[in-house]
């Protein structure tokens, strides 16, 4: 590394083609292909979201927030995210510490289990909670006798959201923590720092961006997911409504008639 | 550094491991046990009838076929996108780079509605496809479009670091030994990024198999034709056929588990290659 002087660095021949560059034609074609593909699958759909939302102007857009249904839905979405994201943050950090800083048997199995909610269809996860807490399920009658409602209510939505967003923080933090090793923490401990001190002064500053990214991902998923709460709630019309889905929209689209693309009921959920 | 030495120095293993196991059991393991107990309790014959009726088989075929097609499209074009974003500098690159994440952050129902609106017969894109006889919305093709949208970030985001890590000197060496650019791409670059590409493909596939929110809007949801497996679970649940829904869910769960094991295997393979290369 240190011995080789920069004999023919590419900067010395500014106009010439480097051996590792494509001809300009190929380069332009690739960029064009990228833009075309992304336009078709990404930009136009995103533009459509905003165009639809603002079609009747800003006033109509903000008026839809005054609709009590929608307000309740927004409030519920925020509440669910406010409960599930901090929980997953704390347990994601704990899992990362245990997995990244220690060696133990069954570690890869544990990682696979943490990843599992990511690969499971959110509909399946919703069904799981119906099986446990529903009237036909394990705890359904017991809870019902005590007047506690879990599914078709806020706790069910929170549980399903926690399940779906469980892996994100841990998934982001574990690789980084593993890469950083344990030397810094060992140094801190040998200098007399306590466990919490070590964690907050040494480990956390090192992984803060990964933690932040994991929280953002998990928040995005918590706010944007409709499937688990749907299967654990939507059978009853008067159940709490979350923003991305309403019962009416889904039942009309599941009766196998072709839903017209401009059906008014989902226009309320355009954001 | 041995395991026992590490364990002695750093505190907190018992606490964090215990809490992790408790939380994992409550959130993941007990619910999954409930599902399997439910499906196992119905007997083999009933399970087979529920999980392998013609309508269910058609939905599996559609779900896996569409997810495979979408993941393949993403693997091909996602590689080009990642390559362009990593290697080239052009106006708007940062904007495109940031927008690649949006399908992940957007509520799935919102993306489904937007895709339906533009690919329907009177939509922005559907209008131009209709004269050619190409129908996208409310056909299996629409499902592939929705899953491509959903899966794009996974392929691009897995490939980008792998491409950025590539050593230019290896390419230079190949070129100086007389390889054409095409040979360098095929023989040097592609093998190096193959594990990342496969991982991205598998992630997009796993996500596509489980996707629900965006697909229901664009699919049309006709039984036997455009009904995906996730929707079938909900339909069965709405008819209070909990056992049937569990049976389909168990099949989906088994497939998810296999996918996940494959992904982890690929990542281990990639890690070994990386270490071997050093």
């Amino acid at each position: 590394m240190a011995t080789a002087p920069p004999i023919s660095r590419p900067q010395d021949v500014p106009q010439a083609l480097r051996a590792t560059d494509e001809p300009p034609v190929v380069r332009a074609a690739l960029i064009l292909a990228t833009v075309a593909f992304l336009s078709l699958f990404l930009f136009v759909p995103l533009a459509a979201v905003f165009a639809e939302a603002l079609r009747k102007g800003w006033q109509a857009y903000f008026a839809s927030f005054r609709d009590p249904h929608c307000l309740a839905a927004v409030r519920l979405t925020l509440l669910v995210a406010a409960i599930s994201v901090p929980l997953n943050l704390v347990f994601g950090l704990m899992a990362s510490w245990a997995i990244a800083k220690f060696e133990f048997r069954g570690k890869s199995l544990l990682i696979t289990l943490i990843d599992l909610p990511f690969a499971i269809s959110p509909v399946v996860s919703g069904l799981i909670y119906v099986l446990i807490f529903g009237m036909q399920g394990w705890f359904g009658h017991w809870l019902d006798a005590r007047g506690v409602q879990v599914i078709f209510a806020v706790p069910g939505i929170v549980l399903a959201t926690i399940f779906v967003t469980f892996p994100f923080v841990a998934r982001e933090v574990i690789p980084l923590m593993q890469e950083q090793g344990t030397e810094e923490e060992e140094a801190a401990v040998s200098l007399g720092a306590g466990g919490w001190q070590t964690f907050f002064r040494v480990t956390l500053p090192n992984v803060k961006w990964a933690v932040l990214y994991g929280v953002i991902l998990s928040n995005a998923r918590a706010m944007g997911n409709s499937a688990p709460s749907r299967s654990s709630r939507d059978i009853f019309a008067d159940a709490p409504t979350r923003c991305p889905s309403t019962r009416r929209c889904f039942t009309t689209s599941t009766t196998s008639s072709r839903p017209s693309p401009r059906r008014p009921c989902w226009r309320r959920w355009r954001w | 550094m041995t395991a026992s030495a590490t364990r002695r120095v750093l505190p907190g293993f018992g606490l964090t491991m215990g809490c992790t196991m408790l939380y994992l059991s409550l959130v993941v393991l007990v619910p999954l046990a409930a599902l399997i107990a439910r499906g196992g309790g119905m007997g083999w014959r009933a399970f087979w009838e529920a999980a392998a009726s013609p309508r269910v088989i058609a939905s599996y075929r559609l779900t896996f076929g569409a997810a495979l097609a979408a993941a393949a499209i993403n693997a091909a074009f996602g590689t080009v996108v990642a390559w362009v974003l990593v290697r080239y500098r052009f106006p708007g690159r940062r904007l495109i780079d940031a927008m690649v994440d949006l399908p992940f952050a957007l509520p799935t129902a919102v993306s489904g509605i937007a895709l339906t609106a533009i690919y329907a017969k009177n939509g922005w894109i559907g209008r131009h496809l209709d004269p050619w006889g190409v129908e996208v919305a409310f056909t299996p093709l629409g499902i592939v479009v929705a899953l491509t949208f959903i899966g794009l970030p996974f392929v691009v985001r897995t490939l980008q670091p792998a491409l950025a890590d590539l050593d230019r000197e290896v390419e230079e060496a190949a070129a100086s030994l007389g390889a054409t650019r095409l040979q360098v791409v095929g023989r040097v670059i592609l093998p190096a990024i193959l594990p990342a590409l496969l991982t991205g493909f598998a992630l997009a596939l796993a996500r596509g198999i489980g996707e629900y929110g965006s697909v229901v809007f664009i699919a049309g949801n006709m039984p036997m034709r455009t009904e995906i497996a996730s929707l079938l679970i909900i339909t069965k649940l709405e008819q209070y056929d909990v056992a049937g829904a569990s049976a389909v869910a168990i099949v989906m769960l088994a497939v998810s588990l296999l996918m996940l094991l494959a992904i982890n295997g690929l990542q281990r393979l990639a890690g070994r290659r990386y270490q071997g290369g050093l």
Side-chain angles (χ1 to χ4, degrees):
Chain A
M1 277 286 274
T3 52
I7 298 169
S8 63
R9 294 255 51 110
Q11 297 94 290
D12 303 341
V13 274
Q15 290 306 315
L17 196 63
R18 286 159 65 183
T20 58
D21 277 343
E22 290 74 33
V25 185
V26 176
R27 183 186 278 246
L30 284 179
I31 294 179
L32 213 65
T34 298
V35 172
F37 174 75
L38 290 180
S39 304
L40 212 57
F41 285 99
L42 193 61
F43 300 151
V44 177
L46 290 174
V49 172
F50 290 103
E52 277 288 303
L54 301 175
R55 211 151 58 101
K56 287 187 196 152
W58 287 98
Q59 272 193 323
Y61 177 72
F62 284 114
S64 67
F65 283 105
R66 282 198 287 276
D67 178 7
H69 263 294
C70 193
L71 266 185
V74 171
R75 202 173 301 133
L76 182 61
T77 305
L78 292 178
L79 175 74
V80 168
I83 297 174
S84 59
V85 171
L87 268 177
N88 280 334
L89 171 64
V90 169
F91 285 96
L93 281 176
M94 281 196 174
S96 314
W97 179 266
I99 287 171
K101 303 292 181 193
F102 300 96
E103 293 299 326
F104 54 91
R105 278 160 149 255
K107 193 181 199 171
S108 58
L109 181 70
L110 186 63
I111 295 177
T112 306
L113 283 178
I114 288 177
D115 277 347
L116 197 57
F118 174 80
I120 290 181
S121 166
V123 172
V124 174
S125 67
L127 168 71
I128 285 171
Y129 285 102
V130 174
L131 286 181
I132 297 181
F133 297 111
M135 283 309 285
Q136 302 186 21
W138 286 359
F139 304 116
H141 286 287
W142 188 85
L143 288 170
D144 193 51
R146 279 147 191 81
V148 181
Q149 205 176 17
V150 175
I151 54 164
F152 317 125
V154 178
I157 302 175
V158 172
L159 274 176
T161 306
I162 288 177
F163 181 89
V164 169
T165 58
F166 180 54
F168 288 112
V169 175
R171 249 190 108 89
E172 290 299 324
V173 177
I174 289 174
L176 189 61
M177 267 200 193
Q178 272 177 332
E179 206 177 52
Q180 285 171 346
T182 55
E183 281 90 354
E184 290 184 30
E185 282 82 5
E186 280 162 6
V189 169
S190 74
L191 289 172
W196 293 108
Q197 238 177 337
T198 310
F199 179 74
F200 282 111
R201 297 265 182 95
V202 178
T203 311
L204 203 55
N206 274 338
V207 297
K208 60 174 183 256
W209 292 113
V211 173
L212 189 68
Y213 194 55
V215 167
I216 289 173
L217 284 183
S218 132
N219 193 42
R221 199 87 172 99
M223 306 252 264
N225 209 7
S226 58
S229 44
R230 163 159 163 64
S231 47
S232 68
R233 168 197 41 85
D234 252 348
I235 299 171
F236 296 131
D238 54 351
T241 306
R242 253 170 59 135
C243 232
S245 66
T246 63
R247 182 176 186 278
R248 271 161 295 158
C249 304
F250 277 105
T251 40
T252 41
S253 58
T254 49
T255 46
S256 83
S257 65
R258 294 180 171 208
S260 88
R262 301 212 177 274
R263 182 186 304 283
C265 77
W266 51 251
R267 284 242 290 280
R268 291 226 319 265
W269 314 108
R270 55 206 155 197
W271 68 289
Chain B
M1 193 197 317
T2 62
S4 56
T6 313
R7 201 169 297 172
R8 259 205 315 274
V9 175
L10 287 186
F13 179 70
L15 175 74
T16 53
M17 192 67 194
C19 285
T20 303
M21 291 311 289
L22 180 73
Y23 193 65
L24 191 70
S25 309
L26 282 179
V27 175
V28 179
L29 297 182
V30 172
L32 287 183
L35 176 67
I36 292 167
R38 185 68 195 216
M42 61 196 283
W44 277 112
R45 176 175 297 225
F47 179 85
W48 185 252
E49 269 170 19
S53 73
R55 186 174 167 191
V56 180
I57 294 285
S59 81
Y60 293 148
R61 196 176 299 142
L62 176 68
T63 309
F64 296 126
L68 259 177
I73 293 173
N74 272 330
F77 285 93
T79 311
V80 176
V81 171
W83 176 265
V84 167
L85 287 179
V86 169
R87 283 291 170 96
Y88 302 155
R89 296 290 171 270
F90 55 95
R93 185 186 70 93
R94 279 174 180 281
L95 186 72
I96 291 179
D97 197 14
M99 283 175 82
V100 165
D101 267 335
L102 274 178
F104 186 83
L106 218 57
T108 50
V110 174
S111 32
I113 291 163
L115 286 168
T116 313
I118 56 171
Y119 282 98
K121 270 186 189 168
N122 54 355
W124 292 351
I125 295 179
R127 196 183 304 155
H128 303 290
L129 293 175
D130 199 40
W132 303 80
V134 181
E135 268 187 78
V136 178
F138 318 123
T139 64
L141 193 60
I143 300 176
V144 174
V145 169
L147 295 182
T148 308
F149 178 85
I150 291 296
L152 179 70
F154 294 103
V155 175
V156 176
R157 287 291 178 243
T158 339
L159 270 176
Q160 268 179 329
L163 278 174
D165 274 354
L166 275 186
D167 229 342
R168 281 242 174 176
E169 275 140 39
V170 183
E171 290 171 52
E172 275 162 17
S176 76
L177 290 170
T180 64
R181 189 63 190 149
L182 215 57
Q183 274 176 320
V184 173
V185 170
R187 298 259 181 99
V188 178
I189 297 174
L190 214 54
I193 63 168
L194 194 62
L197 181 61
L198 284 175
T199 309
F201 175 82
L203 284 175
L205 186 61
R207 185 69 205 276
I209 289 172
E211 181 54 29
Y212 170 81
S214 60
V215 176
V216 283
F217 287 100
I218 204 170
N221 308 320
M222 284 165 283
M224 305 297 290
R225 275 203 58 217
T226 58
E227 190 179 47
I228 55 166
S230 300
L231 178 70
L232 202 62
I233 294 176
I234 286 187
T235 310
K236 278 178 184 291
L237 207 58
E238 275 176 348
Q239 296 159 352
Y240 296 100
D241 180 11
V242 179
S246 311
V248 179
I250 286 177
V251 173
M252 302 270 293
L253 181 69
V255 173
S256 310
L257 247 178
L258 286 179
M259 296 288 315
L260 205 63
L261 289 174
I263 293 172
N264 283 352
L266 282 173
Q267 274 168 345
R268 208 166 307 141
L269 198 73
R272 198 155 50 224
R273 273 182 75 106
Y274 183 62
Q275 278 166 357
L278 285 174

